[in-house]
Amino acid sequence: MNELTILATLASIHWVALMSPGPDFALVVQNTTRYGRQTGLYIALGLSCGILLHSILSLTGVSYLVHQHPGLFAMVQLLGGSYLLYLGIGALRGLWLRRYADHSDKNATQQTGDFLLASKRQAFSRGFATNILNPKALVFFISLMSSLVPAGMSLGGKGAALVILWALSFLWFALLAWLLSSSKLQSKLHNAAKYIDAACGFIFSLIGFTILLSSLADITMMLLE
């Protein structure tokens, strides 16, 4: 298999994976719906940079070493699961506070706005952290790189693979943010914002809780051995 075929296969698999609903997708949908295009684009940039770092770590073998060391991988799972659960609970809490904001003081509205995103840097950081702390992403890129990118691939080929993975990631999430923030769609989504927040909060909470259970089970097994 020549390098062009490898890169084309890598791009195809990654593109399909990007379109699968998950924490990254939910993060863009939730915050673009509520805060608009600019926030969505900075989240897209953060997510794509997280994917780039995952790709580099997988290509250099660092992620493989982490995955093969049960203690380190369990720590990654704990951090990732806790962060996603934090996002989920925060989204649901924000929804609850907004629901009763009219019956309380202005601090409730301020809290819900501050919890999610208040700046470009915060949007980028939220996107980056959501992706890089997702242990499922770590495993995915280990599998992708180890199965498609041969050790003997040229440095230029490996560099091209990194650029393709980053570019496709940013393109997809930026396109999603752009479409969701169109004027016609925004007017419709505004009325559905609370339902979107609830769905995204549930997704974050469910995935985070599942990852935490898995990591705790792994830690228990290690302690019993």
Side-chain angles (χ1 to χ4, degrees):
M1 187 182 293
N2 60 46
E3 290 192 356
L4 286 177
T5 303
I6 291 172
L7 293 174
T9 305
L10 189 72
S12 300
I13 294 174
H14 183 53
W15 184 255
V16 172
L18 283 171
M19 291 188 286
S20 302
D24 296 350
F25 184 91
L27 190 72
V28 174
V29 171
Q30 179 192 19
N31 289 285
T32 302
T33 300
R34 186 161 293 283
Y35 294 104
R37 179 171 296 168
Q38 188 177 73
T39 295
L41 291 176
Y42 274 91
I43 287 177
L45 182 60
L47 289 169
S48 60
C49 287
I51 287 171
L52 177 61
L53 182 55
H54 266 304
S55 302
I56 293 172
L57 293 176
S58 298
L59 203 58
T60 55
V62 174
S63 293
Y64 178 78
L65 293 176
V66 171
H67 188 242
Q68 293 301 305
H69 194 292
L72 280 177
F73 187 62
M75 184 62 67
V76 171
Q77 285 185 305
L78 278 174
L79 287 173
S82 298
Y83 183 72
L84 291 175
L85 188 59
Y86 161 78
L87 290 182
I89 292 174
L92 295 174
R93 174 176 173 268
L95 181 64
W96 179 269
L97 289 174
R98 280 192 296 273
R99 182 179 178 183
Y100 290 99
D102 294 336
H103 305 289
S104 59
D105 57 29
K106 293 183 180 179
N107 290 332
T109 304
Q110 184 66 33
Q111 287 174 13
T112 60
D114 290 345
F115 178 81
L116 288 175
L117 300 167
S119 69
K120 298 174 184 177
R121 180 182 297 179
Q122 214 174 22
F124 175 86
S125 300
R126 182 66 56 83
F128 182 80
T130 299
N131 184 269
I132 201 65
L133 291 177
N134 186 354
K136 292 185 176 181
L138 182 145
V139 175
F140 171 76
F141 283 103
I142 291 174
S143 302
L144 188 66
M145 292 301 191
S146 62
S147 61
L148 287 179
V149 180
M153 191 175 190
S154 69
L155 189 60
K158 291 179 179 178
L162 293 177
V163 171
I164 287 172
L165 292 174
W166 175 83
L168 285 178
S169 303
F170 180 70
L171 176 64
W172 166 247
F173 292 122
L175 178 63
L176 182 63
W178 187 275
L179 292 174
L180 288 172
S181 57
S182 64
S183 56
K184 290 183 179 180
L185 196 55
Q186 272 287 300
S187 61
K188 295 179 181 179
L189 290 176
H190 181 73
N191 296 327
K194 60 183 179 181
Y195 302 108
I196 294 172
D197 283 346
C200 292
F202 178 75
I203 290 171
F204 287 133
S205 300
L206 180 61
I207 295 175
F209 185 68
T210 302
I211 291 173
L212 280 178
L213 282 181
S214 177
S215 65
L216 291 174
D218 291 342
I219 292 172
T220 302
M221 290 296 292
M222 285 188 290
L223 293 175
L224 293 176
E225 289 179 353

PDB file of all heavy atoms in Angstrom, residues 29-30 33-34 91-92 95 98 188-203:
ATOM      1  N   VAL A  29     -22.613  21.477  19.418  1.00  0.00           N
ATOM      2  CA  VAL A  29     -24.050  21.728  19.274  1.00  0.00           C
ATOM      3  C   VAL A  29     -24.577  22.572  20.434  1.00  0.00           C
ATOM      4  O   VAL A  29     -25.276  23.577  20.227  1.00  0.00           O
ATOM      5  CB  VAL A  29     -24.828  20.395  19.196  1.00  0.00           C
ATOM      6  CG1 VAL A  29     -26.330  20.648  19.265  1.00  0.00           C
ATOM      7  CG2 VAL A  29     -24.486  19.653  17.916  1.00  0.00           C
ATOM      8  N   GLN A  30     -24.231  22.177  21.650  1.00  0.00           N
ATOM      9  CA  GLN A  30     -24.751  22.869  22.828  1.00  0.00           C
ATOM     10  C   GLN A  30     -24.343  24.341  22.864  1.00  0.00           C
ATOM     11  O   GLN A  30     -25.176  25.234  23.034  1.00  0.00           O
ATOM     12  CB  GLN A  30     -24.256  22.180  24.098  1.00  0.00           C
ATOM     13  CG  GLN A  30     -24.743  22.857  25.373  1.00  0.00           C
ATOM     14  CD  GLN A  30     -24.017  22.352  26.602  1.00  0.00           C
ATOM     15  OE1 GLN A  30     -22.941  21.776  26.498  1.00  0.00           O
ATOM     16  NE2 GLN A  30     -24.604  22.565  27.761  1.00  0.00           N
ATOM     17  N   THR A  33     -25.398  26.622  19.737  1.00  0.00           N
ATOM     18  CA  THR A  33     -26.823  26.935  19.849  1.00  0.00           C
ATOM     19  C   THR A  33     -27.060  28.081  20.817  1.00  0.00           C
ATOM     20  O   THR A  33     -27.860  28.986  20.557  1.00  0.00           O
ATOM     21  CB  THR A  33     -27.607  25.698  20.320  1.00  0.00           C
ATOM     22  OG1 THR A  33     -27.429  24.642  19.371  1.00  0.00           O
ATOM     23  CG2 THR A  33     -29.085  26.013  20.457  1.00  0.00           C
ATOM     24  N   ARG A  34     -26.330  28.082  21.922  1.00  0.00           N
ATOM     25  CA  ARG A  34     -26.569  29.084  22.959  1.00  0.00           C
ATOM     26  C   ARG A  34     -25.747  30.358  22.763  1.00  0.00           C
ATOM     27  O   ARG A  34     -26.218  31.454  23.032  1.00  0.00           O
ATOM     28  CB  ARG A  34     -26.283  28.483  24.338  1.00  0.00           C
ATOM     29  CG  ARG A  34     -26.641  29.422  25.477  1.00  0.00           C
ATOM     30  CD  ARG A  34     -26.793  28.691  26.777  1.00  0.00           C
ATOM     31  NE  ARG A  34     -27.946  27.798  26.772  1.00  0.00           N
ATOM     32  CZ  ARG A  34     -29.209  28.215  26.915  1.00  0.00           C
ATOM     33  NH1 ARG A  34     -29.472  29.500  27.064  1.00  0.00           N
ATOM     34  NH2 ARG A  34     -30.193  27.345  26.914  1.00  0.00           N
ATOM     35  N   ALA A  91     -24.045  21.330  32.823  1.00  0.00           N
ATOM     36  CA  ALA A  91     -25.058  21.674  31.825  1.00  0.00           C
ATOM     37  C   ALA A  91     -26.461  21.514  32.407  1.00  0.00           C
ATOM     38  O   ALA A  91     -27.341  22.360  32.199  1.00  0.00           O
ATOM     39  CB  ALA A  91     -24.895  20.795  30.595  1.00  0.00           C
ATOM     40  N   LEU A  92     -26.674  20.431  33.134  1.00  0.00           N
ATOM     41  CA  LEU A  92     -27.988  20.192  33.736  1.00  0.00           C
ATOM     42  C   LEU A  92     -28.269  21.204  34.853  1.00  0.00           C
ATOM     43  O   LEU A  92     -29.403  21.660  35.005  1.00  0.00           O
ATOM     44  CB  LEU A  92     -28.050  18.763  34.285  1.00  0.00           C
ATOM     45  CG  LEU A  92     -27.962  17.663  33.214  1.00  0.00           C
ATOM     46  CD1 LEU A  92     -27.890  16.284  33.876  1.00  0.00           C
ATOM     47  CD2 LEU A  92     -29.152  17.729  32.261  1.00  0.00           C
ATOM     48  N   LEU A  95     -29.194  24.444  33.255  1.00  0.00           N
ATOM     49  CA  LEU A  95     -30.570  24.367  32.765  1.00  0.00           C
ATOM     50  C   LEU A  95     -31.556  24.592  33.907  1.00  0.00           C
ATOM     51  O   LEU A  95     -32.546  25.312  33.768  1.00  0.00           O
ATOM     52  CB  LEU A  95     -30.806  22.995  32.120  1.00  0.00           C
ATOM     53  CG  LEU A  95     -32.189  22.735  31.515  1.00  0.00           C
ATOM     54  CD1 LEU A  95     -32.433  23.671  30.345  1.00  0.00           C
ATOM     55  CD2 LEU A  95     -32.299  21.279  31.064  1.00  0.00           C
ATOM     56  N   ARG A  98     -31.479  28.323  34.957  1.00  0.00           N
ATOM     57  CA  ARG A  98     -32.165  29.176  33.982  1.00  0.00           C
ATOM     58  C   ARG A  98     -33.681  29.027  34.069  1.00  0.00           C
ATOM     59  O   ARG A  98     -34.422  29.970  33.874  1.00  0.00           O
ATOM     60  CB  ARG A  98     -31.689  28.854  32.560  1.00  0.00           C
ATOM     61  CG  ARG A  98     -30.373  29.486  32.183  1.00  0.00           C
ATOM     62  CD  ARG A  98     -30.101  29.364  30.698  1.00  0.00           C
ATOM     63  NE  ARG A  98     -29.960  27.975  30.292  1.00  0.00           N
ATOM     64  CZ  ARG A  98     -28.820  27.298  30.338  1.00  0.00           C
ATOM     65  NH1 ARG A  98     -27.721  27.876  30.805  1.00  0.00           N
ATOM     66  NH2 ARG A  98     -28.762  26.035  29.951  1.00  0.00           N
ATOM     67  N   LYS A 188     -34.862  29.048  15.170  1.00  0.00           N
ATOM     68  CA  LYS A 188     -35.571  27.821  15.523  1.00  0.00           C
ATOM     69  C   LYS A 188     -34.919  27.137  16.723  1.00  0.00           C
ATOM     70  O   LYS A 188     -35.598  26.621  17.609  1.00  0.00           O
ATOM     71  CB  LYS A 188     -35.590  26.866  14.327  1.00  0.00           C
ATOM     72  CG  LYS A 188     -36.380  27.385  13.130  1.00  0.00           C
ATOM     73  CD  LYS A 188     -36.336  26.409  11.974  1.00  0.00           C
ATOM     74  CE  LYS A 188     -37.111  26.935  10.775  1.00  0.00           C
ATOM     75  NZ  LYS A 188     -37.049  25.993   9.612  1.00  0.00           N
ATOM     76  N   LEU A 189     -33.577  27.155  16.743  1.00  0.00           N
ATOM     77  CA  LEU A 189     -32.856  26.487  17.817  1.00  0.00           C
ATOM     78  C   LEU A 189     -32.987  27.214  19.151  1.00  0.00           C
ATOM     79  O   LEU A 189     -32.869  26.601  20.207  1.00  0.00           O
ATOM     80  CB  LEU A 189     -31.367  26.358  17.449  1.00  0.00           C
ATOM     81  CG  LEU A 189     -31.030  25.375  16.327  1.00  0.00           C
ATOM     82  CD1 LEU A 189     -29.541  25.444  16.007  1.00  0.00           C
ATOM     83  CD2 LEU A 189     -31.415  23.956  16.732  1.00  0.00           C
ATOM     84  N   HIS A 190     -33.222  28.531  19.072  1.00  0.00           N
ATOM     85  CA  HIS A 190     -33.340  29.304  20.307  1.00  0.00           C
ATOM     86  C   HIS A 190     -34.458  28.750  21.193  1.00  0.00           C
ATOM     87  O   HIS A 190     -34.307  28.636  22.407  1.00  0.00           O
ATOM     88  CB  HIS A 190     -33.601  30.770  19.986  1.00  0.00           C
ATOM     89  CG  HIS A 190     -33.719  31.630  21.204  1.00  0.00           C
ATOM     90  ND1 HIS A 190     -32.624  31.973  21.984  1.00  0.00           N
ATOM     91  CD2 HIS A 190     -34.808  32.202  21.793  1.00  0.00           C
ATOM     92  CE1 HIS A 190     -33.037  32.724  22.994  1.00  0.00           C
ATOM     93  NE2 HIS A 190     -34.351  32.882  22.901  1.00  0.00           N
ATOM     94  N   ASN A 191     -35.568  28.408  20.582  1.00  0.00           N
ATOM     95  CA  ASN A 191     -36.701  27.865  21.332  1.00  0.00           C
ATOM     96  C   ASN A 191     -36.424  26.452  21.842  1.00  0.00           C
ATOM     97  O   ASN A 191     -37.047  25.999  22.800  1.00  0.00           O
ATOM     98  CB  ASN A 191     -37.952  27.850  20.453  1.00  0.00           C
ATOM     99  CG  ASN A 191     -38.404  29.241  20.062  1.00  0.00           C
ATOM    100  OD1 ASN A 191     -38.241  30.194  20.836  1.00  0.00           O
ATOM    101  ND2 ASN A 191     -38.953  29.390  18.865  1.00  0.00           N
ATOM    102  N   ALA A 192     -35.509  25.763  21.168  1.00  0.00           N
ATOM    103  CA  ALA A 192     -35.192  24.386  21.565  1.00  0.00           C
ATOM    104  C   ALA A 192     -33.927  24.299  22.417  1.00  0.00           C
ATOM    105  O   ALA A 192     -33.471  23.196  22.729  1.00  0.00           O
ATOM    106  CB  ALA A 192     -35.033  23.517  20.323  1.00  0.00           C
ATOM    107  N   ALA A 193     -33.354  25.452  22.788  1.00  0.00           N
ATOM    108  CA  ALA A 193     -32.068  25.472  23.494  1.00  0.00           C
ATOM    109  C   ALA A 193     -32.091  24.658  24.786  1.00  0.00           C
ATOM    110  O   ALA A 193     -31.146  23.937  25.100  1.00  0.00           O
ATOM    111  CB  ALA A 193     -31.660  26.914  23.789  1.00  0.00           C
ATOM    112  N   LYS A 194     -33.203  24.760  25.534  1.00  0.00           N
ATOM    113  CA  LYS A 194     -33.243  24.043  26.810  1.00  0.00           C
ATOM    114  C   LYS A 194     -33.263  22.532  26.603  1.00  0.00           C
ATOM    115  O   LYS A 194     -32.689  21.776  27.402  1.00  0.00           O
ATOM    116  CB  LYS A 194     -34.461  24.491  27.628  1.00  0.00           C
ATOM    117  CG  LYS A 194     -35.813  24.253  26.954  1.00  0.00           C
ATOM    118  CD  LYS A 194     -36.934  24.794  27.836  1.00  0.00           C
ATOM    119  CE  LYS A 194     -38.298  24.588  27.172  1.00  0.00           C
ATOM    120  NZ  LYS A 194     -39.388  25.134  28.006  1.00  0.00           N
ATOM    121  N   TYR A 195     -33.883  22.089  25.516  1.00  0.00           N
ATOM    122  CA  TYR A 195     -33.915  20.654  25.235  1.00  0.00           C
ATOM    123  C   TYR A 195     -32.542  20.167  24.761  1.00  0.00           C
ATOM    124  O   TYR A 195     -32.117  19.058  25.086  1.00  0.00           O
ATOM    125  CB  TYR A 195     -34.974  20.349  24.175  1.00  0.00           C
ATOM    126  CG  TYR A 195     -36.367  20.791  24.581  1.00  0.00           C
ATOM    127  CD1 TYR A 195     -36.971  21.885  23.971  1.00  0.00           C
ATOM    128  CD2 TYR A 195     -37.055  20.121  25.592  1.00  0.00           C
ATOM    129  CE1 TYR A 195     -38.245  22.299  24.346  1.00  0.00           C
ATOM    130  CE2 TYR A 195     -38.330  20.534  25.975  1.00  0.00           C
ATOM    131  CZ  TYR A 195     -38.911  21.623  25.352  1.00  0.00           C
ATOM    132  OH  TYR A 195     -40.166  22.035  25.734  1.00  0.00           O
ATOM    133  N   ILE A 196     -31.857  21.028  23.991  1.00  0.00           N
ATOM    134  CA  ILE A 196     -30.508  20.694  23.539  1.00  0.00           C
ATOM    135  C   ILE A 196     -29.560  20.614  24.737  1.00  0.00           C
ATOM    136  O   ILE A 196     -28.737  19.709  24.844  1.00  0.00           O
ATOM    137  CB  ILE A 196     -30.012  21.728  22.516  1.00  0.00           C
ATOM    138  CG1 ILE A 196     -30.853  21.635  21.234  1.00  0.00           C
ATOM    139  CG2 ILE A 196     -28.533  21.528  22.191  1.00  0.00           C
ATOM    140  CD1 ILE A 196     -30.576  22.724  20.223  1.00  0.00           C
ATOM    141  N   ASP A 197     -29.680  21.582  25.656  1.00  0.00           N
ATOM    142  CA  ASP A 197     -28.859  21.553  26.870  1.00  0.00           C
ATOM    143  C   ASP A 197     -29.107  20.287  27.672  1.00  0.00           C
ATOM    144  O   ASP A 197     -28.173  19.663  28.190  1.00  0.00           O
ATOM    145  CB  ASP A 197     -29.168  22.776  27.750  1.00  0.00           C
ATOM    146  CG  ASP A 197     -28.515  24.039  27.216  1.00  0.00           C
ATOM    147  OD1 ASP A 197     -27.633  23.919  26.341  1.00  0.00           O
ATOM    148  OD2 ASP A 197     -28.876  25.130  27.674  1.00  0.00           O
ATOM    149  N   ALA A 198     -30.369  19.919  27.794  1.00  0.00           N
ATOM    150  CA  ALA A 198     -30.715  18.719  28.561  1.00  0.00           C
ATOM    151  C   ALA A 198     -30.135  17.466  27.911  1.00  0.00           C
ATOM    152  O   ALA A 198     -29.559  16.602  28.584  1.00  0.00           O
ATOM    153  CB  ALA A 198     -32.235  18.597  28.687  1.00  0.00           C
ATOM    154  N   ALA A 199     -30.261  17.371  26.581  1.00  0.00           N
ATOM    155  CA  ALA A 199     -29.749  16.199  25.866  1.00  0.00           C
ATOM    156  C   ALA A 199     -28.229  16.119  25.968  1.00  0.00           C
ATOM    157  O   ALA A 199     -27.666  15.047  26.228  1.00  0.00           O
ATOM    158  CB  ALA A 199     -30.179  16.257  24.394  1.00  0.00           C
ATOM    159  N   CYS A 200     -27.556  17.264  25.782  1.00  0.00           N
ATOM    160  CA  CYS A 200     -26.096  17.277  25.855  1.00  0.00           C
ATOM    161  C   CYS A 200     -25.615  16.995  27.280  1.00  0.00           C
ATOM    162  O   CYS A 200     -24.624  16.286  27.478  1.00  0.00           O
ATOM    163  CB  CYS A 200     -25.557  18.624  25.371  1.00  0.00           C
ATOM    164  SG  CYS A 200     -25.803  18.903  23.597  1.00  0.00           S
ATOM    165  N   GLY A 201     -26.304  17.558  28.258  1.00  0.00           N
ATOM    166  CA  GLY A 201     -25.950  17.282  29.650  1.00  0.00           C
ATOM    167  C   GLY A 201     -26.086  15.808  29.974  1.00  0.00           C
ATOM    168  O   GLY A 201     -25.244  15.223  30.667  1.00  0.00           O
ATOM    169  N   PHE A 202     -27.131  15.195  29.449  1.00  0.00           N
ATOM    170  CA  PHE A 202     -27.337  13.755  29.663  1.00  0.00           C
ATOM    171  C   PHE A 202     -26.236  12.940  28.987  1.00  0.00           C
ATOM    172  O   PHE A 202     -25.711  11.978  29.562  1.00  0.00           O
ATOM    173  CB  PHE A 202     -28.699  13.341  29.123  1.00  0.00           C
ATOM    174  CG  PHE A 202     -28.978  11.866  29.244  1.00  0.00           C
ATOM    175  CD1 PHE A 202     -29.306  11.305  30.468  1.00  0.00           C
ATOM    176  CD2 PHE A 202     -28.901  11.044  28.135  1.00  0.00           C
ATOM    177  CE1 PHE A 202     -29.547   9.940  30.584  1.00  0.00           C
ATOM    178  CE2 PHE A 202     -29.140   9.674  28.241  1.00  0.00           C
ATOM    179  CZ  PHE A 202     -29.463   9.125  29.473  1.00  0.00           C
ATOM    180  N   ILE A 203     -25.856  13.336  27.758  1.00  0.00           N
ATOM    181  CA  ILE A 203     -24.806  12.615  27.024  1.00  0.00           C
ATOM    182  C   ILE A 203     -23.475  12.704  27.767  1.00  0.00           C
ATOM    183  O   ILE A 203     -22.796  11.692  27.970  1.00  0.00           O
ATOM    184  CB  ILE A 203     -24.660  13.193  25.600  1.00  0.00           C
ATOM    185  CG1 ILE A 203     -25.890  12.827  24.759  1.00  0.00           C
ATOM    186  CG2 ILE A 203     -23.389  12.665  24.917  1.00  0.00           C
ATOM    187  CD1 ILE A 203     -25.937  13.528  23.412  1.00  0.00           C
TER     188      ILE A 203
END
